[in-house]
Amino acid sequence: AQKITQTQPGMFVQEKEAVTLDCTYDTSDPSYGLFWYKQPSSGEMIFLIYQGSYDQQNATEGRYSLNFQKARKSANLVISASQLGDSAMYFCAMREGDRDDKIIFGKGTRLHILP
Amino acid sequence: DSGVTQTPKHLITATGQRVTLRCSPRSGDLSVYWYQQSLDQGLQFLIQYYNGEERAKGNILERFSAQQFPDLHSELNLSSLELGDSALYFCASSALAGEGTDTQYFGPGTRLTVL
């Protein structure tokens, strides 16, 4: 079974609108971390935001916020006021447990921002 | 710029050959991770080194090997190359061993093309 599921292979959004990228995860470990990375067409992987399983509040970093719904095992990325430069591939990832160093990535969502 | 450097940026070689990819972590980071990104397999974790020692192993082929040197830079050696090894190879680094909130920052990647 897939540990990280991103159900939207591609999305088209009008500039300045808010965007929600879906991510669901599967783990039985009570301690885990969730990450979002952005990969522009240039290829580099850019860290966006982190959410720990014990964090009480949703993580936020500038225009990025993580809508963490633990009971639903959902960790959606919300981008407010989208910009043309947000066009990229977005990956959701998870690290299980406190001592597991491996990060498992989802297959990604390609976001296109339209002018 | 994440602070992680990788060389070379592009590498074109023939089947059966051997290549070495190099990674310098962010200043002060002790862990180095290697990932392979291909169209069909997505982003796959290969191996992690922490302070010179192998710490975690993922889907790394026996034809591949890596090491981390005393100055903490790392090299990934790929031998007996096959067409299917063509991919984008990422190095990432993190401050500690990778637990908890320890975030991985990715380098720009090395694009390997095997002809």
Side-chain angles (χ1 to χ4, degrees):
Chain A
Q2 281 192 34
K3 293 274 189 177
I4 296 285
T5 303
Q6 294 180 254
T7 56
Q8 308 149 309
M11 283 185 73
F12 289 83
V13 173
Q14 209 66 40
E15 190 181 8
K16 296 181 184 153
E17 289 184 354
V19 182
T20 297
L21 304 181
D22 295 342
C23 173
T24 57
Y25 58 91
D26 181 26
T27 181
S28 56
D29 199 311
S31 176
Y32 52 89
L34 297 158
F35 303 79
W36 277 92
Y37 286 87
K38 171 184 178 182
Q39 187 176 36
S41 56
S42 52
E44 74 268 33
M45 292 284 285
I46 302 167
F47 166 72
L48 295 178
I49 198 166
Y50 168 83
Q51 178 87 42
S53 59
Y54 294 121
D55 293 344
Q56 295 295 315
Q57 293 189 322
N58 288 343
T60 60
E61 289 287 347
R63 292 187 301 112
Y64 303 109
S65 61
L66 202 151
N67 183 1
F68 182 45
Q69 298 188 41
K70 199 168 181 176
R72 294 186 179 183
K73 293 188 176 178
S74 158
N76 297 340
L77 177 71
V78 179
I79 306 174
S80 63
S82 58
Q83 302 170 356
L84 295 178
D86 294 332
S87 294
M89 194 77 165
Y90 288 81
F91 292 94
C92 178
M94 176 176 67
R95 175 197 293 130
E96 292 180 286
D98 284 331
R99 285 200 54 80
D100 190 335
D101 312 320
K102 296 186 289 296
I103 290 183
I104 303 164
F105 285 80
K107 294 194 180 299
T109 295
R110 185 166 295 282
L111 176 65
H112 302 270
I113 305 297
L114 304 172
Chain B
D1 186 350
S2 67
V4 179
T5 60
Q6 288 187 248
T7 56
K9 195 168 175 60
H10 300 279
L11 198 49
I12 301 174
T13 188
T15 54
Q17 295 298 305
R18 173 190 168 93
V19 296
T20 298
L21 312 183
R22 185 188 167 100
C23 168
S24 292
R26 295 185 318 159
S27 178
D29 282 2
L30 297 177
S31 278
V32 169
Y33 310 77
W34 287 98
Y35 291 85
Q36 179 193 59
Q37 186 180 34
S38 59
L39 283 174
D40 54 344
Q41 294 290 327
L43 199 60
Q44 300 279 322
F45 167 74
L46 296 178
I47 197 164
Q48 178 204 358
Y49 280 82
Y50 170 67
N51 206 18
E53 301 285 329
E54 182 184 304
R55 181 168 174 89
K57 217 166 187 176
N59 303 319
I60 188 166
L61 299 172
E62 284 191 14
R63 299 183 286 109
F64 297 179
S65 64
Q67 54 183 328
Q68 187 179 29
F69 295 86
D71 67 352
L72 301 177
H73 90 272
S74 177
E75 292 180 357
L76 178 68
N77 300 297
L78 314 176
S79 61
S80 303
L81 285 167
E82 301 174 1
L83 295 177
D85 297 327
S86 294
L88 189 54
Y89 290 84
F90 284 108
C91 167
S93 74
S94 69
L96 302 172
E99 304 97 329
T101 60
D102 199 27
T103 296
Q104 295 180 23
Y105 293 90
F106 282 70
T110 292
R111 184 166 294 283
L112 173 66
T113 303
V114 182
L115 301 176

